[in-house]
Each structure stands twice: as structure tokens, then as C-alpha cells.
């Protein structure tokens, strides 16, 4: 578990640096994909999923 969290943190830091740089290239996108797969295997995955589901429900209930 500790190794998994370390990899997730490293990939998160790299993704943030790439996004702040403003030049998201193919290699940077691959890092973001790896971050997603790493996050899916952590204990935070259900929390992230529930948060995204709640946000989608709120957005879908809005009427223009």
C-alpha cells in the first residue's frame, strides 16, 4: 500500500507540473493515464467515484 501511494503521489506531482506548464504532450497524457490507473487501485477510488457521481447528479438536475 505504501508503494502504491508513493507512485500515485509521484504521478500526481508530474501531472500537475505538466498542466501548469501549459504544454500537455502525448507523453504527458500517458503520465495522466497512469495516474488514473494508479488512483483506481488505491483506497481513495470509492471516494472519488462517489464524488464524481454526486457532481454528475447535481449537474444533470440543473435546468437552464
Amino acid at each position: 500500500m505504501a508503494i502504491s501511494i508513493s507512485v500515485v503521489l509521484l504521478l500526481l506531482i508530474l501531472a500537475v507540473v505538466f498542466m501548469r506548464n501549459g504544454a500537455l504532450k502525448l507523453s504527458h497524457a500517458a503520465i495522466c493515464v497512469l495516474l488514473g490507473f494508479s488512483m483506481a487501485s488505491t483506497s481513495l477510488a470509492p471516494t472519488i467515484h462517489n464524488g464524481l457521481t454526486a457532481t454528475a447528479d447535481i449537474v444533470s438536475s440543473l435546468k437552464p
Side-chain angles (χ1 to χ4, degrees):
M1 183 65 175
I3 293 173
S4 177
I5 292 174
S6 298
V7 171
V8 169
L9 287 176
L10 174 66
L11 292 174
L12 178 64
I13 291 169
L14 286 174
V16 169
V17 168
F18 291 148
M19 292 299 288
R20 288 183 141 258
N21 190 15
L24 188 66
K25 299 177 183 170
L26 184 60
S27 61
H28 303 153
I31 295 291
C32 291
V33 168
L34 289 174
L35 172 63
F37 281 116
S38 296
M39 289 292 289
S41 66
T42 64
S43 61
L44 289 175
T47 305
I48 294 169
H49 183 268
N50 292 338
L52 289 174
T53 302
T55 303
D57 289 341
I58 290 171
V59 170
S60 67
S61 69
L62 294 176
K63 296 188 176 25

